[in-house]
Amino acid sequence: MTAWFERGTDADALETSLEDGAEPEVRDLPALAVEKGVFETHDGYYDALHEATVEVARRRVDDAVDTAERDIVNAVRTLETLSEQINELDERGRDWSDETGRVPVDEIVEARESHEEARDETRRFIEERTPELAPNLSNLAGSVLAARLIALAGGLDKLARMPSSTVQVLGAEDALFAHLRGDAPPPKHGVIYVHPYVRETDADERGSAARAVAGKLTIAARVDRYAGDLRPELAEELDEKIEGIRSRDGGDGS
Amino acid sequence: MTRAVEWVKVDSERYPATEGESVRDERVVNGKRVWHPRKSKAAALLVKGVDLPIGDARVLYLGAGAGTTPSYFADVARAVYAVEFAPSPASRLVDVAETRKRLFPLFADARKPSEYSSVVEGVDVLYQDVATRGQADVALKNAGFVREGGRAYVIVKARSEDVTAEPEEKYEEVAEKLDEKYEVEKVVDLSPFYDDHAAVVARRR
Ligand SMILES: C[S@@+](CC[C@H](N)C(=O)[O-])C[C@H]1O[C@@H](n2cnc3c(N)ncnc32)[C@H](O)[C@@H]1O
């Protein structure tokens, strides 16, 4: 079986060797490389291996991040389309059967079912992939909301660079423009409204809750973009913050 | 240059520490990077008195995450092969690998060792922290890289396997499966540093 240095000692040679797909084996590769005269010393071997593995991993990771991002953005847009279409089909079907007591075209019912299947599968895809790209954002927001934020921002990189006040109103662009025209009050929240910590907080404290959620989600996006490790403490900090906000609304006044 | 894990005193506790460039916000005491048992399961093992012979060793590290624990390994080991398959942590792992000459990042799936078998040499230590279903299978599939008598440390996260089962049963089940290729020495619970986590410590047959 092959060792990575047999056809060259750079990143391309290493990458090609990965395709060989042999079974694991206990081999003294540095000694083998020296024996074959490819390197003079073990240190020389390790230095070349380091350079090549770093380069190959960097290439592949960048590619994968790019693909993951495109997959997530497309999937979440598709999910929205499917959900809208299912709602519309339901409405049509309801009207039709209200008027005539039945829907005489079976295929319409079947189409609705297959849409539903596609929607569920798309959601599963999002739930599987989003935490791989954005573990912390997914942990705090849930995968679907995380994916919607990434899509609205135009990518995780862009999301990670936004101030949290922008993240707070992502998805409320219409309301924001109306406000900027002087026609309306500023929106308190965009798509983060679907987060239980925003939606389920009493109306008079909802603005603070939205600010707190947006703040933590922004930090999560930055950790995901620049560090990548899962930090459960972010969720705990958000829990505490929301608890604090909720305990001051509708309290007993004491 | 020191090539061994040392011990430093922090807030009247003794913690392992290594010499090397910082990778996160870890504390540095007397020029040593403190290896905190709440931030790394390997440090928790060391604090619990488990022998983890990584000094000058060749290590295969599965589930490298963002490279935090692998960076400590690489401070003292001869070679660390770090496998991670999720793009975001892997991206940071590559950054960390750039600061460590003997840390080799492999962006691959640990369930498919043939994806890196042309690169990984025979190792003295297998350290696995994948926190996903099928944790025992991953260690079995990679057993071929571990020299006879080499050590395996398989971190088991009970909730990755089954949210309802008793953690102890889960650890036992993983240990029993490992028996196919490893001789299990002990199961070390990682509390109080990590809940519902244990390390199965074994030797390659
Ligand atoms: C608990 S984290 C590792 C943390 C790291 N060991 C540390 O202490 O710094 C588990 C990691 O295993 C990775 N993982 C899970 N299954 C994997 C697989 N089959 N192949 C490679 N990596 C995997 C996950 O993506 C995740 O980053």
Side-chain angles (χ1 to χ4, degrees):
Chain A
M1 65 168 276
T2 44
W4 68 276
F5 50 80
E6 278 167 25
R7 292 187 221 108
T9 56
D10 61 1
D12 291 331
L14 187 139
E15 191 155 27
T16 314
S17 80
L18 299 175
E19 314 289 313
D20 291 343
E23 289 300 305
E25 223 181 295
V26 174
R27 292 186 297 170
D28 191 345
L29 293 178
L32 206 64
V34 170
E35 200 178 290
K36 294 200 171 176
V38 185
F39 295 100
E40 281 177 19
T41 61
H42 288 191
D43 274 344
Y45 169 85
Y46 281 132
D47 288 346
L49 178 63
H50 187 253
E51 199 172 310
T53 49
V54 166
E55 191 177 327
V56 169
R58 172 79 66 209
R59 276 185 206 161
R60 294 190 159 197
V61 167
D62 286 352
D63 264 10
V65 167
D66 204 56
T67 306
E69 210 162 81
R70 285 169 206 266
D71 277 346
I72 288 166
V73 170
N74 281 290
V76 81
R77 289 186 183 146
T78 305
L79 182 71
E80 277 163 24
T81 305
L82 287 165
S83 303
E84 282 162 18
Q85 288 176 342
I86 289 168
N87 284 340
E88 278 178 34
L89 283 171
D90 282 350
E91 246 171 74
R92 286 280 141 273
R94 219 175 299 124
D95 286 354
W96 198 332
S97 62
D98 278 351
E99 285 169 30
T100 69
R102 80 225 194 286
V103 178
V105 183
D106 291 346
E107 285 75 6
I108 296 175
V109 180
E110 284 164 23
R112 196 232 178 253
E113 277 168 14
S114 75
H115 268 65
E116 199 175 43
E117 243 171 70
R119 182 196 61 193
D120 294 348
E121 276 309 314
T122 307
R123 185 178 293 138
R124 266 194 283 280
F125 180 88
I126 292 169
E127 282 166 355
E128 192 179 306
R129 295 303 170 83
T130 314
E132 289 174 13
L133 180 74
N136 291 290
L137 190 61
S138 304
N139 191 36
L140 263 62
S143 297
V144 173
L145 176 55
R148 288 175 79 184
L149 288 167
I150 292 169
L152 285 165
L156 179 60
D157 193 53
K158 293 214 179 86
L159 184 63
R161 290 168 195 270
M162 284 179 175
S164 83
S165 54
T166 306
V167 174
Q168 193 179 334
V169 295
L170 269 180
E173 283 69 20
D174 291 349
L176 188 63
F177 290 131
H179 166 66
L180 294 176
R181 276 196 311 268
D183 295 346
K188 287 201 186 70
H189 40 66
V191 66
I192 63 163
Y193 178 73
V194 304
H195 196 291
Y197 277 170
V198 180
R199 200 183 52 216
E200 290 164 18
T201 296
D202 286 351
D204 45 337
E205 292 293 349
R206 197 171 292 145
S208 316
R211 214 166 21 254
V213 169
K216 272 294 176 234
L217 295 191
T218 305
I219 292 168
R222 290 177 190 160
V223 174
D224 289 337
R225 174 64 186 80
Y226 301 110
D229 56 324
L230 179 65
R231 301 190 187 168
E233 64 267 26
L234 292 177
E236 286 159 25
E237 288 160 16
L238 180 59
D239 292 350
E240 273 169 34
K241 201 140 196 193
I242 294 295
E243 214 170 285
I245 289 172
R246 287 184 177 172
S247 67
R248 61 176 199 237
D249 80 356
D252 55 11
S254 61
Chain B
M1 183 178 172
T2 38
R3 300 291 291 172
V5 176
E6 298 181 41
W7 291 83
V8 294
K9 241 183 156 169
V10 185
D11 308 330
S12 73
E13 302 277 355
R14 269 165 46 85
Y15 290 141
T18 62
E19 208 174 302
E21 198 177 308
S22 293
V23 304
R24 235 173 94 178
D25 45 5
E26 69 264 26
R27 280 178 77 167
V28 176
V29 173
N30 300 334
K32 309 271 182 324
R33 309 168 60 213
V34 177
W35 197 356
H36 200 284
R38 284 191 193 281
K39 296 204 169 150
S40 165
K41 289 154 215 157
L45 277 175
L46 287 167
V47 170
K48 298 201 84 167
V50 174
D51 180 32
L52 185 63
I54 52 175
D56 200 36
R58 295 157 297 185
V59 181
L60 176 57
Y61 193 123
L62 306 175
T68 309
T69 303
S71 73
Y72 288 96
F73 277 54
D75 285 343
V76 299
R78 190 185 312 175
V80 178
Y81 300 89
V83 180
E84 171 57 50
F85 78 161
S88 282
S91 168
R92 176 72 188 143
L93 169 67
V94 179
D95 295 339
V96 170
E98 279 183 340
T99 69
R100 298 285 187 295
K101 280 168 71 178
R102 297 297 178 257
L103 178 54
F104 309 107
L106 299 166
F107 180 51
D109 185 341
R111 289 167 299 192
K112 298 176 189 151
S114 62
E115 287 183 357
Y116 43 85
S117 61
S118 68
V119 175
V120 175
E121 63 182 307
V123 297
D124 309 296
V125 173
L126 172 83
Y127 183 89
Q128 177 183 310
D129 181 18
V130 294
T132 42
R133 261 169 196 288
Q135 297 170 101
D137 288 335
V138 173
L140 289 174
K141 283 187 175 159
N142 286 275
F145 292 116
V146 186
R147 69 165 170 78
E148 206 185 310
R151 304 288 192 93
Y153 299 82
V154 179
I155 306 290
V156 183
K157 184 182 175 193
R159 280 168 304 168
S160 292
E161 295 284 333
D162 181 343
V163 275
T164 56
E166 282 298 312
E168 284 71 22
E169 285 172 28
K170 238 37 253 188
Y171 307 151
E172 267 320 304
E173 196 183 310
V174 171
E176 268 167 37
K177 283 193 185 150
L178 289 181
D179 184 68
E180 188 188 327
K181 294 192 170 160
Y182 300 90
E183 192 179 323
V184 174
E185 288 179 350
K186 56 185 168 187
V187 176
V188 183
D189 197 295
L190 294 185
S191 60
F193 306 112
Y194 290 87
D195 294 333
D196 294 333
H197 280 79
V200 180
V201 181
R203 262 181 206 280
R204 178 82 168 106
R205 290 189 191 278

